[in-house]
Amino acid sequence: TPYIEIEFRDAPKKRIKRNLSLNCDENANETRCCRYPLTVDFEKFGWDWIIAPKRYEASYCAGECMLSFLPKYEHTHVMQLSTSAIPCCSPKKMSSIKLLYFDMSYNVIYSTIPNMVVEKCSCS
């Protein structure tokens, strides 16, 4: 006689980290700390020594850091309570870009430039 055997197992529980970093656009009515788009165009700067990329998405942080939001560092919270210092909206995570450019001797250089793109913003 055919039979079927069934075994139940609990799936491993994985915690998902909340992303408290906000991404906004120019038309957003958001007042909290937020990451906004910003395109850096090297040609508009007149930087003809950069071969590639000619432009890239850099992003920037802007907005209010109210007392109700916990800052990135506990030290900032203590400073808020003991002085008139307030936290500011600033980059929390940055990434690099790869750049192809001419050096002073007109050699072609391929380099990784760190901290050129804002990935996340936070109050600090």
Side-chain angles (χ1 to χ4, degrees):
T1 348
Y3 73 96
I4 189 166
E5 186 175 316
I6 299 174
E7 183 178 326
F8 292 97
R9 294 183 187 176
D10 289 334
K13 294 185 184 340
K14 294 181 182 177
R15 291 186 62 190
I16 298 171
K17 188 172 184 179
R18 289 182 294 163
N19 183 3
L20 298 178
S21 182
L22 294 174
N23 293 316
C24 300
D25 62 20
E26 299 86 18
N27 303 320
N29 287 336
E30 185 61 58
T31 59
R32 294 177 293 173
C33 181
C34 198
R35 183 178 77 135
Y36 290 91
L38 171 67
T39 302
V40 174
D41 190 332
F42 295 123
E43 288 180 327
K44 284 186 179 178
F45 292 151
W47 292 4
D48 57 351
W49 49 274
I50 295 180
I51 302 166
K54 294 295 185 185
R55 68 187 61 75
Y56 79 98
E57 293 301 319
S59 299
Y60 70 97
C61 299
E64 296 176 13
C65 291
M66 297 170 271
L67 292 174
S68 60
F69 295 105
L70 288 176
K72 180 179 177 183
Y73 301 107
E74 289 77 13
H75 177 267
T76 306
H77 184 65
V78 172
M79 287 297 295
Q80 282 178 253
L81 297 173
S82 59
T83 67
S84 61
I86 58 170
C88 62
C89 184
S90 58
K92 177 180 181 179
K93 182 179 179 186
M94 306 275 297
S95 63
S96 59
I97 63 168
K98 300 201 183 295
L99 205 62
L100 191 64
Y101 62 94
F102 293 109
D103 69 5
M104 299 296 253
S105 302
Y106 295 100
N107 298 309
V108 176
I109 307 293
Y110 180 70
S111 182
T112 300
I113 312 296
N115 301 325
M116 293 291 284
V117 179
V118 173
E119 297 293 338
K120 291 182 180 181
C121 298
S122 176
C123 295
S124 59

